[in-house]
Amino acid sequence: MSAAALLLTLSAAACSKNDQANSIIKMKGAELDKIMNSREEKENYLVIDVREKNEYAEGHVRYAINISVNELSNKLALLTDLKDKNIVTICRSGRRSQAAAEILQKNGFRKLFNADGVSTYPYTSLTKVANVRGKQMQELVNTGNYSVVDAREPNDYETAHLKGAISANADNITEKLGLLPRDKPVLTYCYSGNRSFAVAERLAAAGYTVINSLDGTNEYTA
């Protein structure tokens, strides 16, 4: 093989690898469901439900945040620190989530997955607990319009906690419902988003509107 032919072969191989690295991978619903049901695995992914707010509120996969495809281009600043993280987009049928993944791809996100939509796969991990990132959580706390629950260990709560927060965990949250007005939405947080999500699901089952912070105190500092 001539030197020129070898160079062309190597160039083609390099392009093929780059195309594969930058491609949007189709993710089966069963795979995403498994990830969303694992506290360990879910740490490796950020799931973005790109439907409209009212659709997301009706039920979405566990740990998914909500940025509609129509707003995504204007809200990329919320995600700029995650360009090397596994990002999964999801919607009802897969069409809007594919469009959202393409927007992310054009803006430098490298590890993209488009999951089966919530109407095409029977997800077992559906929830009505909303999720936000740490910066958004802090902004919501600052409004004073929410009750706040700190799901960390009591000694860490005593050391420092978000303004107005009460200390509770999934085992004792029902005993503290009297401290949480029924007509006020609740914010939950912990170290990494896992303990607080368990509390959030208990509160949602009790009829509260709940927003959980995916970024815990281990991951976000105001």
Side-chain angles (χ1 to χ4, degrees), residues 23-29 31-32 88-95 97-98 112-117 120-121 123:
S23 65
I24 298 167
I25 300 170
K26 180 66 177 176
M27 180 179 281
K28 295 292 186 182
E31 182 180 357
L32 180 57
V88 182
T89 56
I90 188 171
C91 65
R92 187 183 67 83
S93 65
R95 181 180 58 83
S97 53
Q98 177 65 28
L112 297 167
F113 302 82
N114 180 25
D116 286 336
T120 60
Y121 181 81
Y123 287 96

Side-chain angles (χ1 to χ4, degrees), residues 50-60 66-68 71:
V50 302
R51 295 177 297 163
E52 296 302 315
K53 185 177 181 180
N54 62 307
E55 296 176 276
Y56 174 82
E58 290 174 0
H60 49 271
N66 179 221
I67 306 175
S68 80
E71 299 177 324

